[in-house]
Amino acid sequence: MSIAELQVTAHENNDLLVWTIYDHPRDCPDMFVVRPHSSKEGKPMNVWIEYPTLKEAREALFASGLYTEWIARPTDDPVIVESWI
């Protein structure tokens, strides 16, 4: 399922997805991973999309109408690059 499709489904279910880009996480050490987090459920969804570069991950999120505002949080896992809404 694409980012846009997941966004539409979330909207239909009165949910807001927050998308997080991960830099080569342990479960996918060769890629950047984009994973949606459901604000309605209060947890990450069991779906992710893999990209070979950070630029491609960002372009896919931007092309889906999302944007980012970087807010550094000291408690974030070091593999978290940024989040998009």
Side-chain angles (χ1 to χ4, degrees), residues 18-85:
V18 177
W19 294 81
T20 302
I21 300 177
Y22 297 86
D23 183 354
H24 299 79
R26 276 177 276 158
D27 57 350
C28 192
D30 298 325
M31 295 286 204
F32 285 87
V33 171
V34 175
R35 180 173 286 140
H37 297 249
S38 165
S39 63
K40 190 174 183 178
E41 299 293 324
K43 62 182 181 180
M45 296 175 65
N46 193 24
V47 62
W48 63 89
I49 304 167
E50 301 172 4
Y51 296 93
T53 67
L54 178 57
K55 181 181 180 198
E56 289 173 276
R58 286 175 169 159
E59 287 173 349
L61 291 163
F62 184 76
S64 296
L66 302 170
Y67 68 94
T68 186
E69 184 66 42
W70 175 249
I71 299 171
R73 298 182 330 171
T75 58
D76 280 345
D77 189 305
V79 299
I80 293 176
V81 176
E82 61 201 18
S83 295
W84 292 63
I85 54 171

